[in-house]
PDB file of all heavy atoms in Angstrom:
ATOM      1  N   ASP A  14      -0.357   2.795   1.322  1.00 98.00           N
ATOM      2  CA  ASP A  14      -0.697   2.135   2.590  1.00 98.00           C
ATOM      3  C   ASP A  14      -1.488   0.838   2.364  1.00 98.00           C
ATOM      4  O   ASP A  14      -1.918   0.534   1.247  1.00 98.00           O
ATOM      5  CB  ASP A  14      -1.391   3.097   3.564  1.00 98.00           C
ATOM      6  CG  ASP A  14      -2.804   3.483   3.139  1.00 98.00           C
ATOM      7  OD1 ASP A  14      -3.476   2.695   2.452  1.00 98.00           O
ATOM      8  OD2 ASP A  14      -3.234   4.599   3.509  1.00 98.00           O
ATOM      9  N   ALA A  23      -8.140  -6.053  -4.764  1.00 98.00           N
ATOM     10  CA  ALA A  23      -9.514  -6.541  -4.953  1.00 98.00           C
ATOM     11  C   ALA A  23      -9.985  -6.245  -6.373  1.00 98.00           C
ATOM     12  O   ALA A  23     -10.630  -7.082  -7.020  1.00 98.00           O
ATOM     13  CB  ALA A  23     -10.439  -5.881  -3.930  1.00 98.00           C
ATOM     14  N   GLU A  24      -9.653  -5.042  -6.881  1.00 98.00           N
ATOM     15  CA  GLU A  24     -10.032  -4.689  -8.259  1.00 98.00           C
ATOM     16  C   GLU A  24      -9.354  -5.602  -9.272  1.00 98.00           C
ATOM     17  O   GLU A  24      -9.976  -6.083 -10.225  1.00 98.00           O
ATOM     18  CB  GLU A  24      -9.650  -3.230  -8.560  1.00 98.00           C
ATOM     19  CG  GLU A  24     -10.518  -2.202  -7.856  1.00 98.00           C
ATOM     20  CD  GLU A  24     -10.005  -0.770  -8.030  1.00 98.00           C
ATOM     21  OE1 GLU A  24      -8.926  -0.560  -8.648  1.00 98.00           O
ATOM     22  OE2 GLU A  24     -10.681   0.148  -7.534  1.00 98.00           O
ATOM     23  N   LEU A  39      -6.365 -22.048 -15.192  1.00 98.00           N
ATOM     24  CA  LEU A  39      -5.565 -20.842 -14.941  1.00 98.00           C
ATOM     25  C   LEU A  39      -4.533 -21.123 -13.848  1.00 98.00           C
ATOM     26  O   LEU A  39      -4.863 -21.638 -12.785  1.00 98.00           O
ATOM     27  CB  LEU A  39      -6.472 -19.686 -14.504  1.00 98.00           C
ATOM     28  CG  LEU A  39      -5.785 -18.391 -14.049  1.00 98.00           C
ATOM     29  CD1 LEU A  39      -4.949 -17.776 -15.165  1.00 98.00           C
ATOM     30  CD2 LEU A  39      -6.817 -17.379 -13.544  1.00 98.00           C
ATOM     31  N   VAL A  44       6.685 -15.073  -8.883  1.00 97.00           N
ATOM     32  CA  VAL A  44       8.135 -14.989  -9.054  1.00 97.00           C
ATOM     33  C   VAL A  44       8.738 -14.706  -7.673  1.00 97.00           C
ATOM     34  O   VAL A  44       8.522 -13.642  -7.097  1.00 97.00           O
ATOM     35  CB  VAL A  44       8.495 -13.872 -10.061  1.00 97.00           C
ATOM     36  CG1 VAL A  44      10.005 -13.822 -10.289  1.00 97.00           C
ATOM     37  CG2 VAL A  44       7.758 -14.080 -11.384  1.00 97.00           C
ATOM     38  N   VAL A  82      21.615  -9.535 -15.507  1.00 74.00           N
ATOM     39  CA  VAL A  82      21.738 -10.971 -15.724  1.00 74.00           C
ATOM     40  C   VAL A  82      20.701 -11.682 -14.870  1.00 74.00           C
ATOM     41  O   VAL A  82      20.671 -11.495 -13.660  1.00 74.00           O
ATOM     42  CB  VAL A  82      23.154 -11.471 -15.339  1.00 74.00           C
ATOM     43  CG1 VAL A  82      23.260 -12.976 -15.544  1.00 74.00           C
ATOM     44  CG2 VAL A  82      24.195 -10.734 -16.145  1.00 74.00           C
ATOM     45  N   THR A  86      16.532 -19.841 -10.538  1.00 93.00           N
ATOM     46  CA  THR A  86      17.026 -20.578  -9.366  1.00 93.00           C
ATOM     47  C   THR A  86      16.048 -21.665  -8.926  1.00 93.00           C
ATOM     48  O   THR A  86      16.381 -22.516  -8.133  1.00 93.00           O
ATOM     49  CB  THR A  86      17.262 -19.623  -8.176  1.00 93.00           C
ATOM     50  OG1 THR A  86      16.043 -18.920  -7.902  1.00 93.00           O
ATOM     51  CG2 THR A  86      18.353 -18.616  -8.485  1.00 93.00           C
ATOM     52  N   GLU A  94       1.976 -26.307 -20.399  1.00 97.00           N
ATOM     53  CA  GLU A  94       1.474 -26.463 -21.766  1.00 97.00           C
ATOM     54  C   GLU A  94      -0.060 -26.523 -21.771  1.00 97.00           C
ATOM     55  O   GLU A  94      -0.666 -27.281 -21.011  1.00 97.00           O
ATOM     56  CB  GLU A  94       2.047 -27.731 -22.400  1.00 97.00           C
ATOM     57  CG  GLU A  94       1.655 -27.854 -23.861  1.00 97.00           C
ATOM     58  CD  GLU A  94       2.437 -28.923 -24.611  1.00 97.00           C
ATOM     59  OE1 GLU A  94       3.448 -29.434 -24.080  1.00 97.00           O
ATOM     60  OE2 GLU A  94       2.023 -29.246 -25.734  1.00 97.00           O
ATOM     61  N   GLY A  95      -0.663 -25.718 -22.636  1.00 97.00           N
ATOM     62  CA  GLY A  95      -2.123 -25.711 -22.782  1.00 97.00           C
ATOM     63  C   GLY A  95      -2.867 -24.964 -21.685  1.00 97.00           C
ATOM     64  O   GLY A  95      -4.097 -24.874 -21.714  1.00 97.00           O
ATOM     65  N   THR A 107      13.533  -2.538 -14.391  1.00 92.00           N
ATOM     66  CA  THR A 107      14.124  -2.439 -15.733  1.00 92.00           C
ATOM     67  C   THR A 107      13.307  -3.246 -16.744  1.00 92.00           C
ATOM     68  O   THR A 107      13.377  -2.995 -17.941  1.00 92.00           O
ATOM     69  CB  THR A 107      15.563  -2.989 -15.744  1.00 92.00           C
ATOM     70  OG1 THR A 107      15.532  -4.376 -15.393  1.00 92.00           O
ATOM     71  CG2 THR A 107      16.457  -2.241 -14.791  1.00 92.00           C
ATOM     72  N   PHE A 118       8.990 -18.726 -21.121  1.00 94.00           N
ATOM     73  CA  PHE A 118       7.688 -19.387 -21.013  1.00 94.00           C
ATOM     74  C   PHE A 118       7.029 -19.588 -22.364  1.00 94.00           C
ATOM     75  O   PHE A 118       6.264 -20.529 -22.547  1.00 94.00           O
ATOM     76  CB  PHE A 118       6.764 -18.588 -20.099  1.00 94.00           C
ATOM     77  CG  PHE A 118       6.925 -18.951 -18.656  1.00 94.00           C
ATOM     78  CD1 PHE A 118       8.158 -19.302 -18.160  1.00 94.00           C
ATOM     79  CD2 PHE A 118       5.843 -18.961 -17.804  1.00 94.00           C
ATOM     80  CE1 PHE A 118       8.319 -19.646 -16.840  1.00 94.00           C
ATOM     81  CE2 PHE A 118       5.991 -19.318 -16.474  1.00 94.00           C
ATOM     82  CZ  PHE A 118       7.230 -19.655 -15.986  1.00 94.00           C
ATOM     83  N   GLU A 152       7.054   6.420  -8.768  1.00 96.00           N
ATOM     84  CA  GLU A 152       8.222   7.230  -9.109  1.00 96.00           C
ATOM     85  C   GLU A 152       9.495   6.391  -8.978  1.00 96.00           C
ATOM     86  O   GLU A 152       9.462   5.277  -8.432  1.00 96.00           O
ATOM     87  CB  GLU A 152       8.303   8.416  -8.144  1.00 96.00           C
ATOM     88  CG  GLU A 152       8.582   7.935  -6.719  1.00 96.00           C
ATOM     89  CD  GLU A 152       8.482   9.013  -5.651  1.00 96.00           C
ATOM     90  OE1 GLU A 152       7.352   9.390  -5.302  1.00 96.00           O
ATOM     91  OE2 GLU A 152       9.540   9.438  -5.162  1.00 96.00           O
ATOM     92  N   LEU A 167      12.570  -6.427   5.463  1.00 97.00           N
ATOM     93  CA  LEU A 167      11.420  -5.517   5.270  1.00 97.00           C
ATOM     94  C   LEU A 167      10.315  -6.069   4.372  1.00 97.00           C
ATOM     95  O   LEU A 167       9.342  -5.379   4.077  1.00 97.00           O
ATOM     96  CB  LEU A 167      11.860  -4.128   4.750  1.00 97.00           C
ATOM     97  CG  LEU A 167      12.861  -3.358   5.622  1.00 97.00           C
ATOM     98  CD1 LEU A 167      13.310  -2.084   4.913  1.00 97.00           C
ATOM     99  CD2 LEU A 167      12.244  -2.987   6.965  1.00 97.00           C
ATOM    100  N   ARG A 177      13.872   7.289   3.096  1.00 89.00           N
ATOM    101  CA  ARG A 177      14.311   8.650   2.756  1.00 89.00           C
ATOM    102  C   ARG A 177      15.676   8.991   3.345  1.00 89.00           C
ATOM    103  O   ARG A 177      16.267  10.008   3.011  1.00 89.00           O
ATOM    104  CB  ARG A 177      13.297   9.680   3.282  1.00 89.00           C
ATOM    105  CG  ARG A 177      11.898   9.498   2.754  1.00 89.00           C
ATOM    106  CD  ARG A 177      11.762   9.958   1.312  1.00 89.00           C
ATOM    107  NE  ARG A 177      10.395   9.841   0.836  1.00 89.00           N
ATOM    108  CZ  ARG A 177      10.032   9.760  -0.441  1.00 89.00           C
ATOM    109  NH1 ARG A 177      10.951   9.767  -1.387  1.00 89.00           N
ATOM    110  NH2 ARG A 177       8.768   9.656  -0.796  1.00 89.00           N
ATOM    111  N   GLU A 179      19.784   8.081   4.688  1.00 87.00           N
ATOM    112  CA  GLU A 179      20.960   7.289   4.346  1.00 87.00           C
ATOM    113  C   GLU A 179      20.955   6.038   5.206  1.00 87.00           C
ATOM    114  O   GLU A 179      20.529   6.066   6.347  1.00 87.00           O
ATOM    115  CB  GLU A 179      22.241   8.082   4.664  1.00 87.00           C
ATOM    116  CG  GLU A 179      22.502   9.240   3.723  1.00 87.00           C
ATOM    117  CD  GLU A 179      22.854   8.772   2.310  1.00 87.00           C
ATOM    118  OE1 GLU A 179      23.733   7.890   2.184  1.00 87.00           O
ATOM    119  OE2 GLU A 179      22.228   9.271   1.354  1.00 87.00           O
ATOM    120  N   PRO A 182      16.862   1.303   7.309  1.00 91.00           N
ATOM    121  CA  PRO A 182      15.910   1.803   8.300  1.00 91.00           C
ATOM    122  C   PRO A 182      15.593   0.800   9.419  1.00 91.00           C
ATOM    123  O   PRO A 182      14.484   0.809   9.930  1.00 91.00           O
ATOM    124  CB  PRO A 182      14.670   2.100   7.441  1.00 91.00           C
ATOM    125  CG  PRO A 182      14.767   1.122   6.317  1.00 91.00           C
ATOM    126  CD  PRO A 182      16.221   0.899   6.070  1.00 91.00           C
TER     127      PRO A 182
END
Side-chain angles (χ1 to χ4, degrees):
D14 70 28
E24 288 173 357
L39 173 61
V44 183
V82 179
T86 56
E94 186 167 348
T107 62
F118 273 34
E152 66 188 76
L167 302 174
R177 302 285 183 202
E179 288 292 311

